[in-house]
């Protein structure tokens, strides 16, 4: 069973703070890791992907991957109320390029 | 920016009826997918499609479901005899290479009554 686990939240942070979202996965064959943002009633929107250990930065977003510990995280700096959404972690398995396994998502609330 | 287009945005159907959900993937993408999300639950994989055939399907994707790419641009999901538990948001997605993630369409909300 390929599991991707996320804390469902809600995670509440004040505006301007750093929001830290975490995801763990069970399959060591996992190759590519994605963070999607989903507003209520809308489709998932790709924020970032990462496939090498370490950090990857894109604007206010930083993805961190630690394959030894099997976790991937997303940091959002200078959080804005517009960042309030559910953040989905998705994992692609090396030997199965056909699909992603999604976590259940973490709901983030950024309070003005 | 290229988009994945889905129609209709909302479909209400009676139990036992057939529905067809339509998608136009991004034109140079090669991999196509259907996912669904029951309200408040995870995004669940249904089926992937590559080179004009199904490459993988989940347990959810039983004989009531089928997919087609009838004309080289549209990608459809058919549910032959809908059940109440088919009520969900159905997302089409396409990818030019799975390492780069999917682009999702805006979804079709299917309500079976």
């Amino acid at each position: 069973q390929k599991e991707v686990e996320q804390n469902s939240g809600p995670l509440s942070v004040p505006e301007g703070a750093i929001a830290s979202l975490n995801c763990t996965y069970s399959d060591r064959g996992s190759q590519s890791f994605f963070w999607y943002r989903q507003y209520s009633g809308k489709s998932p929107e790709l924020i970032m992907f990462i496939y090498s250990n370490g950090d990857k930065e894109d604007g206010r977003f930083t993805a961190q991957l630690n394959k030894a510990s099997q976790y991937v995280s997303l940091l959002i700096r200078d959080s804005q109320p517009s960042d309030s959404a559910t953040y989905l972690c998705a994992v692609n398995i090396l030997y199965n390029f056909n699909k992603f396994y999604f976590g259940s998502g973490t709901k983030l609330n950024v309070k003005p | 920016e290229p988009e994945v287009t889905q129609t209709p945005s909302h479909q209400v159907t009676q139990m036992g009826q057939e529905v067809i959900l339509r998608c136009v993937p991004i034109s140079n993408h090669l991999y196509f997918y259907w996912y669904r999300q029951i309200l408040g639950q995870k995004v669940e994989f249904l089926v992937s499609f590559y080179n004009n055939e199904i490459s993988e399907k989940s347990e959810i994707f039983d004989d009531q479901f089928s997919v087609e790419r009838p004309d080289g641009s549209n990608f459809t999901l058919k549910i032959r005899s809908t059940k109440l538990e088919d009520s969900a948001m159905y997302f089409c997605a396409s990818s030019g290479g799975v390492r780069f993630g999917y682009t999702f369409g805006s979804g079709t909300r299917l309500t079976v009554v």
Side-chain angles (χ1 to χ4, degrees):
Chain A
Q1 181 76 10
K2 312 292 190 296
E3 295 291 343
V4 179
E5 300 289 341
Q6 295 181 255
N7 188 323
S8 62
L11 172 67
S12 292
V13 300
E15 184 175 355
I18 296 175
S20 177
L21 305 159
N22 298 310
C23 171
T24 60
Y25 58 94
S26 61
D27 193 315
R28 289 196 173 272
S30 302
Q31 178 187 31
S32 307
F33 307 86
F34 301 82
W35 283 100
Y36 284 85
R37 176 175 61 199
Q38 187 176 29
Y39 294 110
S40 181
K42 301 295 185 183
S43 60
E45 174 193 6
L46 181 65
I47 299 174
M48 292 189 71
F49 60 88
I50 185 169
Y51 25 83
S52 300
N53 274 327
D55 295 1
K56 180 181 178 183
E57 189 174 316
D58 184 1
R60 295 187 297 114
F61 299 97
T62 299
Q64 299 175 316
L65 175 60
N66 184 323
K67 289 188 178 181
S69 301
Q70 294 178 242
Y71 81 78
V72 56
S73 61
L74 180 70
L75 301 178
I76 306 175
R77 287 181 298 284
D78 188 24
S79 296
Q80 302 297 308
S82 57
D83 294 327
S84 297
T86 297
Y87 288 79
L88 307 176
C89 173
V91 171
N92 169 246
I93 310 297
L94 176 63
Y95 49 84
N96 184 350
F97 64 89
N98 286 314
K99 65 183 180 186
F100 293 166
Y101 297 89
F102 279 85
S104 55
T106 297
K107 187 171 174 58
L108 173 66
N109 290 329
V110 181
K111 298 182 178 180
Chain B
E1 189 170 327
E3 288 187 337
V4 175
T5 306
Q6 287 187 248
T7 55
S9 57
H10 192 186
Q11 172 104 35
V12 181
T13 189
Q14 289 201 326
M15 191 169 53
Q17 294 296 304
E18 175 182 287
V19 295
I20 297 176
L21 311 183
R22 302 180 192 280
C23 170
V24 179
I26 292 173
S27 61
N28 62 348
H29 282 184
L30 302 176
Y31 303 89
F32 314 113
Y33 310 86
W34 285 100
Y35 280 75
R36 79 171 186 190
Q37 188 176 32
I38 295 170
L39 187 64
Q41 297 188 24
K42 279 187 187 186
V43 176
E44 299 176 291
F45 171 76
L46 293 178
V47 66
S48 59
F49 193 86
Y50 171 70
N51 202 25
N52 287 321
E53 60 183 21
I54 290 174
S55 43
E56 185 163 356
K57 57 185 180 180
S58 71
E59 293 175 352
I60 303 167
F61 195 90
D62 60 22
D63 292 343
Q64 295 298 316
F65 291 86
S66 62
V67 289
E68 273 191 334
R69 188 158 159 80
D71 56 13
S73 61
N74 291 287
F75 180 49
T76 62
L77 174 69
K78 182 192 291 186
I79 310 175
R80 262 181 273 283
S81 178
T82 49
K83 308 185 201 69
L84 295 175
E85 55 265 36
D86 294 328
S87 295
M89 192 75 142
Y90 287 80
F91 294 112
C92 173
S94 70
S95 174
V98 73
R99 276 169 67 91
F100 306 106
Y102 300 161
T103 300
F104 282 90
S106 54
T108 294
R109 180 168 298 285
L110 176 66
T111 303
V112 182
V113 297

